[in-house]
Amino acid sequence: MKPSIADSAVKAMLEREAKLYVQRNPKSQALSAEASAHWLRGVPMQWMVDWGLPFPLFVDEAKGINLKDADGHSYLDFCLGDTGAMFGHSPKPVADCLAREGAHGLTTMLPSPDATKVGALLADRFGLPFWQVTATASDANRAVIRWSRAITGRQKILVFNHCYHGCVDETFVTADGGKVIMDPSLVGEPRDLSAFTKVVEFNDVPALEKALRVGDVACVLAEPVMTNVGMVLPAPGFLETLRTLTKETGTILVMDETHTLTSSVGGYSRSIGLKPDALVFGKPIAGGIPAGLYGFSAETAARVHTYMGQRGEGRSGIGTTLSGSRIQVALIRTVLEEFMTDPVFEALITLARRLERGVADVIIKHSLPWHVTRVGARVEFMCVPTPPKNGYEASQVIHKPIDEAVHRYLLNRGVVITPFHNMMLVCPSTTGEDVTKLIETFEACVSELLN
Ligand SMILES: Cc1ncc(COP(=O)(O)O)c(C=O)c1O
């Protein structure tokens, strides 16, 4: 479906907003030039150049929902580090924990007494009894894939088409055109990863059943809602069928809740009573300090124990030196106690509903063939009238120029949303006025595009 916005209007906005961005940000421009001398691609991490801007915005300070850039402009941040700062930038309990605990040792490669409390909190919040800390969610996914292969004796994994689970090699495969191929976006991979990974469309029960009944899949790695290709919701009953089929075929079901942590205390799976064999998440769980986690059911953990008992301890290819560090564990405790609570989520979801309604009202008022989806505190609009059913459909409707024009317009007027898609997240310090400012600026942008 073609958006009812003229390509010429999009192009004009992209050009105008790029010029305005350059005029507004001389210090960021100078810093960018300077940084290019020693940072590969000019930035500490290369995604920082993927914001669709003439040069990166250099951020001086981030606090709560506010960012201040090097040129002194203030922003309302609805990107929140692409979920890494889901509970706000440097919220007081996290800053206090860093100051307090940071003075007593950051990493020792030994457990701290806090670990007992944190293990119990994780079991309480997420309903799985056994946990491990990693450096990132990508690492957690890699570890769970290894364990799944080890305990099932199977080599293959299964993912949904157009998924994203971090930089995990085996997940970079797609199935557009029916055939499974390496995702062309993967840099420097000599192996044919399609030999290890089956790909089916989200919500396609017959294809899923056919792939699993062969009995050669170690684990299904899935988000309960696809969140990295716009947002794709599970059809009624799909996740329950996924659970049944994985059980019947002896396949480990791994739910990657890295983004769907926004749903509720315990994530999306828990909110619908789904019981996976393993859970994975990361990003905001240590308040913005790198940390990932994976949790296992009692049965999965027992299989790991049996496997390790037969194999013996020692090097395994699982775990990294700084994972499970004293400071990570202390920060995870803070986040679980202070933010992973029902009152915090009730407030977040109330505000996110208001944001969803506001964006929907703008879409309706201007008769745009767009829609908006919300998963807990996370809201996303897509430039297509009906929600896509699977990753392929979603990948076909992403309209990069419109997305980029909207992002630039908002940014130049003090509002930041997530660069790679149209995700807007609220945090505990987001206010109703902040949401109103986003909606009003979004409406002004849409009005200009339609004129
Ligand atoms: C669903 C999902 N899983 C895992 C990851 C990887 O997280 P990280 O980049 O922090 O390792 C991401 C990153 O966006 C994600 O969206």
Side-chain angles (χ1 to χ4, degrees), residues 47 82 136-138 141 164-166 223 228 256 258-259 283:
W47 292 6
D82 194 22
T136 64
S138 300
N141 280 326
Y164 184 73
H165 295 285
E223 286 188 279
N228 284 294
D256 179 350
T258 304
H259 279 175
K283 293 206 185 183

Side-chain angles (χ1 to χ4, degrees), residues 133-200:
V133 182
T134 61
T136 64
S138 300
D139 266 350
N141 280 326
R142 275 191 283 270
V144 171
I145 290 171
R146 271 188 189 278
W147 285 124
S148 299
R149 284 175 166 153
I151 64 178
T152 61
R154 300 173 180 177
Q155 285 195 348
K156 295 197 176 176
I157 67 160
L158 185 147
V159 296
F160 292 108
N161 204 16
H162 290 282
C163 66
Y164 184 73
H165 295 285
C167 48
V168 179
D169 293 350
E170 289 95 326
T171 61
F172 281 75
V173 286
T174 50
D176 297 349
K179 195 168 172 275
V180 177
I181 53 160
M182 292 265 289
D183 185 330
S185 69
L186 187 59
V187 170
E189 176 54 63
R191 293 167 295 170
D192 179 6
L193 297 170
S194 63
F196 299 103
T197 307
K198 296 190 181 186
V199 187
V200 299

